[in-house]
């Protein structure tokens, strides 16, 4: 066999433009419009051909074009401006430093299985990864001291294409690192930084790559080293690739390998954020390391590490959570749990598995919840759904008290705004609006925007979308082997003035991409109305193993081939960030149709409304918070149905009613044929209501203030004095667990005026037996709620009671008072909870004793 040697020839950048290389390797350019314009000017056509990838563009451009750019004054002036802006951005402090000058030692490690920063780095599959990418960008803008940790997938996620029958096919191209904005981490000796870790009996070599994202470093782990076993090289080959065993191997590399990588890089975070449960094994590695390095017991190391763990769950259904069989976990961790001082039963229980039942799976989300001090869902509604999913862990608590918070997702405005909307915002909000995206006062200037100017911005965005869709459609048809006539006809698809509906997301069946296709006759009438025509652009991938999802795509393609609507329905293949960017910017309506309550958040709709696109959705995810009648439409009001088919039929009819009677008429209501004033008024109302809240600056600030900083401060307490507080807390928890059986509250008595009126007071007394515990170990509360009817209560409100003297029978007398501020009927009870100054929550021990 012929032996081949590989060499890499770098382009020779003339001295005046050598700064381009540094700019290209920092993805800050991806949300800097001047930087994008700079690279585009080198060759606009080639810029589109290489997928807006500056690394590949510089590598492929003829030398003469680079030489010409180095002599062009306008190009050099823009290069100076972009370079100066970039240096200023990197050097100046931002929100975090000014708001938290005393917290300079905070360091957050943000772990995620995927990161969607830009389409030129295809390490993402969908919303989870794009959210992670937006999280890093916002952390950079706010100057949060944070690093990202993920995996470098040599073949990324699959590229989608459709065959002649409309059936989804998958292609996994291998990416050349030479063309990616990624650099291998090198040591002081000039050699690549790497380490070895055991995985199921073999030593696996892990390499580390770095991606610069403004002020943030993202580290990606790679098992593709040539000396690894072929099976091990495939671990980081494909995002979510392979079977369940490959998934656990990937998650071991991400979680445990990620911790080892940070150690190799001498990075010592104080807070660890797990974006979904894929990285939850990191918590075990942290415990093991603390035990080894500081001679702690498992329980002591657990207390130390748990306080600095943040876990965000993104799924509203149990089926969406990674679960592994006990047999598989045993295969990969049988040599690991002895290092933690645990036996099989205790280890499996960390993941909620029942060791006595081998069919009981090990749940990654359960482990993450058990080992984290702060847990959250990604919207207000998803927080409620998550508390219901996990209420079995806190059976004695009322639903609203289960310690799962929510931080509603947001989107990174500068990454998703159209150039037209940026121009409008700069003109009316001021050039500094990007730095004040959470300031409602800044956004109030939206009201001053001229309806005509806002409408023209949307029209130009729609026109760009139509041109983009035609080009993509022609390319798809050509690759599919369609005739020349069919390919050329793609230039007639869609219309630049027609009302355009956008639908783009993962084609899981619960997202119901086919809701508009359930009544094809009604859809045909809607699309072909001569006075008020409608067109539909769709995109999205089905999971490679999701046959029903693939079939929905196929059905849509078959409908789109009908001669009557051939130019009215376009399906864009290989949904990615570039397709999403064009669609959220250019469509008039963003359609979202999940079955309630199966949508955790749905950030694509946030991106759309940011661009003046109005939203119509079921009452789910973020729309349950964002909806108001003057800014969009809701399909139903969150009703639940026993039969999915019945729900689909009813909500399909509701959607058609909305389109036919409200949405389309409002769009085409144009006095004297001019601007649709009611529509543009809704656009402004939507921008005013949603932009200040549904952005990642607000989201990341909430994570910082509600999770990162509190966890960081608790971590500092725990590690003080050679871990004395952690040891003390661990010992105290064991004492409380052992003694809790003797805790009970009895003999509750109420004292109140004969006629209790608003403003009156009720005195509550109780005898509380503590057994071997002391009053300092507990908090006793009056737990009051307002009665709505015999079965419904709301407004739960705990009120602390004060401990009195110990009585002759061994109990303590507790006393508290209730101030009655509202009329109505109330219910109350007395309860006892553990209390310790180092507890993040009184519910940490999952112990509670209600009055007998």
């Amino acid at each position: 066999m012929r032996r081949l040697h590989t060499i890499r020839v770098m382009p020779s950048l003339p001295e005046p433009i050598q700064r381009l290389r540094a700019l290209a390797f920092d993805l800050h350019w991806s949300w800097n419009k001047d930087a994008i314009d700079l690279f585009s000017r080198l060759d606009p056509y080639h810029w589109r051909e290489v997928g807006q990838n500056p690394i590949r563009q510089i590598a492929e451009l003829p030398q003469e074009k680079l030489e010409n750019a180095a002599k062009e004054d306008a190009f050099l002036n823009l290069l100076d401006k972009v370079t100066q802006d970039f240096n200023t951005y990197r050097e100046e402090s931002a929100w975090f430093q000014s708001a938290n000058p005393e917290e300079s030692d905070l360091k957050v490690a943000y772990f995620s299985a995927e990161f969607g920063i830009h389409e030129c780095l295809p390490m993402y599959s969908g919303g989870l990864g794009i959210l992670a990418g937006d999280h890093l960008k916002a952390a950079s803008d706010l100057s949060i001291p944070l690093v990202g940790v993920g995996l470098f997938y040599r073949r990324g996620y699959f590229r989608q294409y459709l065959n002649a029958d409309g059936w989804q096919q998958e292609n996994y191209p291998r990416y050349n690192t030479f063309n990616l904005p990624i650099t291998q981490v090198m040591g002081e000796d000039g050699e690549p930084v790497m380490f070895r870790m055991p995985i199921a009996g073999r030593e696996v070599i892990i390499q580390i790559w770095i991606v610069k994202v403004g002020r943030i470093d993202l580290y990606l782990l790679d098992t593709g080293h040539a000396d690894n076993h072929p099976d091990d090289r495939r671990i980081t080959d494909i995002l979510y690739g392979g079977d369940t065993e490959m998934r656990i191997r990937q998650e071991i590399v991400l979680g445990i390998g990620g911790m080892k990588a940070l150690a190799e890089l001498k990075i010592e975070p104080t807070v660890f954020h797990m974006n979904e449960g894929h990285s939850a094994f990191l918590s075990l590695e942290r415990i093991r390391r603390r035990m080894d390095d500081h001679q702690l017991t498992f329980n002591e190391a657990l207390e130390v590490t748990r306080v600095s763990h943040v876990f965000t769950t993104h799924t509203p259904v149990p089926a969406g959570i990674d679960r592994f069989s006990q047999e598989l976990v045993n295969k990969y961790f049988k040599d690991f749990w002895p290092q933690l001082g645990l036996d099989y039963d205790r280890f499996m229980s960390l993941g909620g598995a029942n060791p006595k039942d081998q069919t009981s799976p090990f749940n990654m989300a359960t482990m993450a919840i058990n080992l984290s001090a702060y847990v959250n869902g990604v919207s207000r509604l998803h927080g409620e759904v998550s508390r219901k999913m996990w209420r079995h862990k806190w059976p004695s608590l009322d639903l609203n008290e289960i310690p799962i918070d929510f931080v509603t997702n947001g989107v990174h405005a500068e990454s998703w705004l159209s150039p037209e909307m940026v121009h409008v915002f700069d003109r009316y909000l001021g050039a500094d609006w990007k730095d004040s995206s959470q300031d409602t006062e800044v956004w109030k200037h939206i009201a001053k925007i001229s309806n005509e100017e806002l409408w023209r911005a949307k029209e130009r965005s729609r026109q760009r979308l139509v041109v983009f869709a035609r080009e993509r459609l022609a390319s798809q048809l050509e690759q599919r082997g369609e005739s020349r006539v069919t390919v050329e006809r793609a230039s007639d698809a869609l219309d630049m003035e027609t009302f355009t509906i956008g639908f783009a997301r993962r084609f899981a069946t619960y997202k119901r991409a086919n809701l508009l296709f359930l009544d094809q006759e009604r859809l045909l009438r809607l699309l072909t109305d001569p006075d008020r025509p409608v067109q539909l652009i769709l995109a999205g991938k089905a999971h490679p193993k999701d046959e029903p999802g693939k079939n929905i795509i196929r059905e849509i393609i078959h409908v789109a081939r009908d001669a009557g609507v051939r130019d009215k329905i376009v399906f864009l293949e290989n949904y990615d960030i570039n397709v999403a960017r064009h669609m959220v910017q250019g469509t008039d309506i963003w359609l979202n149709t999940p079955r309630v309550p199966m949508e955790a958040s749905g950030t694509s709709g946030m991106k759309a409304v940011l661009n003046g696109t109005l939203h119509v959705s079921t009452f789910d995810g973020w729309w349950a918070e964002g909806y108001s009648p003057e800014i969009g439409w809701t399909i139903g009001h969150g009703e639940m149905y026993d039969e999915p088919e019945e729900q689909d039929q009813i909500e399909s009819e509701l959607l058609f009613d909305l389109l036919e009677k409200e949405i389309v008429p409002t769009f085409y209501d144009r006095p004297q044929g001019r601007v649709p004033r009611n529509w543009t008024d809704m656009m402004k109302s939507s921008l005013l209501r949603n932009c200040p809240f549904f952005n990642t600056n607000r989201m990341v600030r909430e994570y910082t203030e509600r999770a990162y900083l509190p966890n960081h401060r608790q971590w500092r307490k725990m590690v003080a004095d050679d871990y004395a507080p952690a040891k003390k807390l661990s010992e105290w928890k064991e004492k409380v667990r052992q003694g809790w059986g003797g805790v009970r509250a009895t003999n509750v008595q109420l004292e109140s005026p004969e006629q209790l009126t608003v403003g009156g007071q009720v005195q509550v007394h109780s005898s509380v037996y503590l057994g071997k515990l002391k009053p300092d170990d507990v908090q006793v509360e009056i737990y009051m709620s307002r009665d709505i009817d015999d079965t419904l209560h709301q407004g739960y409100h705990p009120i602390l009671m004060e401990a009195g003297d110990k009585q002759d029978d061994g109990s303590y007398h507790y006393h508290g008072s209730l101030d009655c501020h509202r009329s109505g009927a109330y219910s109350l009870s007395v309860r006892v909870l553990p209390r310790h100054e180092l507890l993040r929550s009184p519910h940490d021990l999952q112990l509670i004793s209600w009055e007998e």
Side-chain angles (χ1 to χ4, degrees):
M1 180 182 293
R2 180 184 303 172
R3 184 177 181 185
L4 299 177
H5 299 273
T6 301
I7 62 171
R8 290 183 172 179
V9 181
M10 299 294 292
S12 177
L13 286 174
E15 193 279 330
I17 63 171
Q18 282 192 0
R19 292 167 289 173
L20 281 176
R21 182 173 287 113
L23 293 173
F25 271 97
D26 191 321
L27 282 165
H28 176 258
W29 67 260
S30 68
W31 71 94
N32 184 298
K33 303 304 180 188
D34 287 336
I36 294 171
D37 184 36
L38 179 72
F39 289 116
S40 177
R41 286 191 185 191
L42 288 171
D43 186 327
Y45 177 78
H46 188 257
W47 177 245
R48 293 194 300 272
E49 282 290 296
V50 298
Q52 299 189 38
N53 181 344
I55 306 297
R56 184 178 165 195
Q57 183 190 42
I58 292 172
E60 294 182 3
L61 276 178
Q63 188 67 32
E64 62 181 279
K65 289 209 170 187
L66 298 174
E67 299 285 351
N68 291 338
K71 300 172 185 175
E72 184 183 329
D73 288 341
F75 185 86
L76 293 175
N77 289 338
L78 182 57
L79 176 58
D80 287 341
K81 181 181 186 304
V82 171
T83 304
Q84 182 178 348
D85 290 347
F86 175 72
N87 290 336
T88 301
Y89 178 88
R90 289 295 300 265
E91 294 166 5
E92 285 187 346
S93 62
W95 169 79
F96 180 82
Q97 285 73 24
S98 60
N100 306 280
E102 73 287 356
E103 304 290 359
S104 59
D105 57 337
L106 171 71
K107 189 71 170 183
V108 180
Y110 182 86
F111 280 66
S112 182
E114 49 178 302
F115 286 91
I117 302 166
H118 187 267
E119 60 265 30
C120 71
L121 188 64
M123 302 293 124
Y124 63 94
S125 71
L128 178 72
I130 293 174
L131 175 80
D134 280 8
H135 194 111
L136 296 192
K137 294 173 187 176
S140 174
D141 290 341
L142 296 170
S143 199
I144 309 291
L146 180 148
V147 296
V149 180
L151 300 179
F152 175 38
Y153 304 99
R154 294 282 181 155
R155 293 200 285 169
Y157 198 54
F158 73 88
R159 295 180 63 85
Q160 176 200 53
Y161 66 98
L162 306 182
N163 66 16
D165 190 42
W167 192 257
Q168 174 181 290
Q169 308 289 297
E170 296 89 27
N171 181 31
Y172 295 89
R174 182 168 292 277
Y175 295 105
N176 187 344
T177 57
F178 185 69
N179 290 328
L180 297 177
I182 186 170
T183 307
Q184 193 161 13
V185 176
M186 310 300 284
E188 295 179 358
D189 57 359
E191 295 297 317
V193 174
M194 58 185 70
F195 60 92
R196 296 173 182 268
M197 62 178 290
I199 301 179
R202 277 200 300 264
E203 289 287 314
V204 179
I205 300 171
I206 312 288
Q207 305 172 110
I208 309 172
W209 301 77
I210 185 172
V211 180
K212 308 294 287 187
V213 188
R215 298 180 174 108
I216 303 299
D217 292 336
L218 168 61
Y219 295 100
L220 301 179
L221 280 58
D222 169 28
T223 64
H225 194 279
D227 290 344
N228 280 335
H229 187 280
D231 289 345
D232 297 331
R233 292 202 297 269
R234 285 192 286 270
I235 294 175
T236 58
D237 202 26
I238 296 173
L239 172 59
Y240 303 141
D243 55 13
T244 305
E245 184 158 9
M246 179 59 74
R247 177 68 69 90
I248 197 172
R249 287 156 65 85
Q250 288 184 334
E251 297 185 5
I252 289 169
V253 172
L254 175 60
I256 298 178
M259 287 301 305
K260 292 179 179 292
L262 292 174
E264 288 289 328
L265 299 168
K266 297 180 172 56
I267 297 173
E268 299 182 3
T270 60
V271 174
F272 293 78
H273 188 165
M274 294 172 269
N275 189 43
E276 254 309 339
H278 308 114
S279 60
F281 289 132
L282 74 84
S283 55
L284 301 178
E285 174 64 11
R286 289 197 71 213
I287 291 171
R288 185 197 66 78
R289 191 163 298 185
R290 291 289 154 185
M291 293 175 67
D292 285 355
D293 295 347
H294 301 278
Q295 291 73 55
L296 302 178
T297 67
F298 174 83
N299 287 337
E300 291 167 347
L302 171 60
E303 299 304 334
V304 172
T305 57
R306 183 179 180 275
V307 296
S308 55
H309 289 164
V310 177
F311 171 56
T312 298
T313 175
H314 290 262
T315 179
V317 291
I321 296 171
D322 276 351
R323 293 174 292 182
F324 300 116
S325 69
Q326 293 184 44
E327 179 184 11
L328 195 59
V329 173
N330 182 51
K331 175 180 178 179
Y332 284 91
F333 285 91
K334 62 185 177 182
D335 296 327
F336 191 94
W337 64 65
Q339 300 176 53
L340 301 178
L342 302 181
D343 58 18
Y344 178 92
D345 288 7
R346 178 78 190 278
F347 185 86
M348 289 298 170
S349 69
L350 293 176
N354 179 1
K356 304 297 187 290
D357 177 6
Q358 284 298 303
T359 65
S360 173
F362 188 95
N363 187 306
M364 294 297 286
T366 297
M367 180 172 69
I369 291 172
N370 284 335
L371 302 180
S372 297
Y374 182 86
V375 180
N376 71 281
V378 290
S379 69
R380 181 184 298 275
L381 180 59
H382 182 233
E384 296 174 6
V385 171
S386 297
R387 287 190 287 274
K388 291 177 182 176
M389 282 178 62
W390 302 106
R391 69 183 311 167
H392 62 275
K393 288 181 58 61
W394 295 273
S396 298
L397 287 184
D398 288 317
L399 188 64
N400 71 307
E401 277 203 302
I402 290 173
I404 299 178
D405 198 2
F406 73 94
V407 176
T408 300
N409 281 343
V411 297
H412 187 256
E414 291 180 80
S415 295
W416 298 101
L417 272 172
S418 70
E420 295 81 9
M421 289 301 293
V422 170
H423 176 75
V424 171
F425 288 173
D426 286 347
R427 177 172 162 79
Y428 285 91
L429 276 59
D432 296 331
W433 68 267
K434 304 177 189 70
D435 300 323
S436 308
S437 58
Q438 198 178 347
D439 189 344
T440 55
E441 292 300 315
V442 170
W443 290 101
K444 285 182 179 178
H445 295 293
I446 289 286
K448 300 177 183 177
I449 297 176
S450 156
N451 286 46
E452 289 77 8
E453 192 167 353
L454 184 61
W455 181 244
R456 298 300 170 230
K458 172 53 70 175
E459 285 193 312
R460 287 191 291 272
S461 298
R462 189 191 314 115
Q463 290 162 5
R464 281 193 300 103
L465 170 60
V466 169
V467 171
F468 173 80
R470 288 171 176 171
E471 292 175 350
R472 289 288 289 248
L473 179 60
S475 176
Q476 291 170 192
L477 294 172
E478 187 173 13
Q479 292 177 17
R480 211 177 294 164
E482 299 284 357
S483 68
R484 181 178 58 83
V485 173
T486 301
V487 173
E488 290 177 350
R489 198 166 56 216
S491 61
D492 297 324
L494 307 175
D495 179 83
M496 294 190 177
E497 309 299 327
T498 292
F499 175 70
T500 305
I501 301 173
F503 181 98
R505 53 197 16 90
R506 183 165 55 90
F507 266 61
T509 52
Y510 79 87
K511 291 180 182 284
R512 300 187 301 180
N514 59 343
L515 201 63
L516 267 180
F517 292 80
L518 296 183
D519 189 337
Q520 293 183 18
E521 291 185 8
R522 203 169 176 182
L523 176 61
L524 181 63
R525 290 197 303 270
L526 184 71
L527 297 175
T528 59
D529 187 310
D531 300 317
R532 298 185 303 202
V534 175
Q535 58 194 16
L536 183 59
I537 303 178
L538 305 100
K541 298 176 178 179
H543 188 278
K545 297 178 181 178
D546 184 2
E547 298 289 311
K550 290 183 177 183
N551 198 51
I552 291 176
I553 296 175
R554 178 178 173 274
E555 290 173 357
I556 290 172
I557 295 301
H558 281 224
V559 174
R561 287 175 178 165
D562 185 283
V565 295
R566 183 181 295 134
D567 299 332
K568 300 281 190 178
I569 304 176
V570 170
F571 184 93
L572 300 178
E573 296 176 15
N574 198 42
Y575 183 42
D576 64 0
I577 290 177
N578 190 32
V579 173
R581 188 186 299 117
H582 280 87
M583 289 187 65
V584 298
Q585 293 174 2
T587 49
D588 298 298
I589 276 286
W590 196 254
L591 179 59
N592 187 38
T593 54
R595 290 194 186 99
V596 178
M598 301 181 74
E599 184 89 294
S601 178
T603 52
S604 62
M606 300 178 191
K607 302 176 182 85
V609 299
L610 192 69
N611 284 281
T613 298
L614 297 184
H615 200 242
V616 57
S617 172
T618 51
F619 203 69
D620 204 3
W622 79 276
W623 196 230
E625 291 171 69
Y627 168 71
S628 183
E630 73 275 8
I631 68 169
W633 295 268
T634 176
I635 306 166
H637 295 279
E639 296 86 353
M640 302 289 188
Y641 296 80
D642 293 331
E643 296 297 330
E645 294 79 10
E646 178 190 13
Q647 180 177 5
D648 294 352
Q649 188 60 46
I650 291 173
E651 292 183 344
S652 175
E653 293 176 6
L654 288 173
L655 175 56
F656 274 111
D657 287 343
L658 284 173
L659 288 167
E660 294 166 350
K661 298 173 183 178
E662 297 185 38
I663 299 174
V664 177
T666 304
F667 179 85
Y668 283 108
D669 179 17
R670 306 179 188 185
Q672 291 83 47
R674 299 175 66 184
V675 172
R677 184 162 299 277
N678 290 337
W679 188 271
T680 50
D681 284 345
M682 290 185 72
M683 290 171 65
K684 288 196 284 188
S685 295
S686 176
L687 292 169
L688 183 59
R689 177 181 173 90
N690 292 317
C691 288
F693 185 77
F694 295 104
N695 64 76
T696 41
N697 276 20
R698 185 271 313 157
M699 180 189 80
V700 174
R701 283 177 64 162
E702 283 193 17
Y703 274 117
T704 301
E705 293 167 346
R706 291 157 61 177
Y708 297 165
L709 286 174
N711 284 24
H712 168 69
R713 291 165 185 151
Q714 197 79 344
W715 158 260
R716 285 193 303 202
K717 291 180 183 178
M718 286 292 191
V719 300
D721 300 327
D722 193 27
Y723 299 91
K727 296 174 182 177
K728 180 181 177 182
L729 181 60
S730 175
E731 181 182 352
W732 175 85
K733 280 189 173 182
E734 187 58 31
K735 179 187 77 169
V736 171
R737 289 191 184 99
Q738 294 293 330
W740 197 256
V743 174
R744 57 194 179 97
T746 65
N747 193 29
V748 175
Q749 298 178 6
L750 310 183
E751 295 179 10
S752 65
E754 187 172 333
Q755 184 67 41
L756 184 61
T757 59
V758 172
Q761 196 174 73
V762 179
Q763 304 297 322
V764 182
H765 303 269
S766 178
S767 296
V768 178
Y769 293 87
L770 297 178
K772 296 181 180 180
L773 304 183
K774 304 295 183 185
D776 287 346
D777 297 323
V778 301
Q779 61 189 48
V780 180
E781 299 174 343
I782 306 165
Y783 195 63
M784 183 176 71
S785 63
R786 192 163 184 262
D787 295 351
I788 304 302
D789 57 36
D790 290 341
T791 59
L792 182 62
H793 312 275
Q794 71 173 19
Y796 301 100
H797 183 54
I799 299 165
L800 283 176
M801 301 179 74
E802 295 181 3
D805 296 333
K806 190 170 186 178
Q807 301 178 93
D808 293 340
D809 63 354
S811 68
Y812 290 85
H813 173 256
Y814 274 80
H815 167 266
S817 60
L818 298 175
D819 294 317
C820 301
H821 299 296
R822 295 180 61 186
S823 61
Y826 293 84
S827 296
L828 64 84
S829 185
V830 171
R831 67 182 188 178
V832 188
L833 293 163
R835 179 179 65 184
H836 194 283
E837 61 180 354
L838 293 176
L839 279 185
R840 185 78 157 84
S841 163
H843 306 306
D844 280 357
L845 278 74
Q846 301 175 26
L847 296 174
I848 187 169
S849 180
W850 291 91
E851 72 170 80
E852 297 178 353

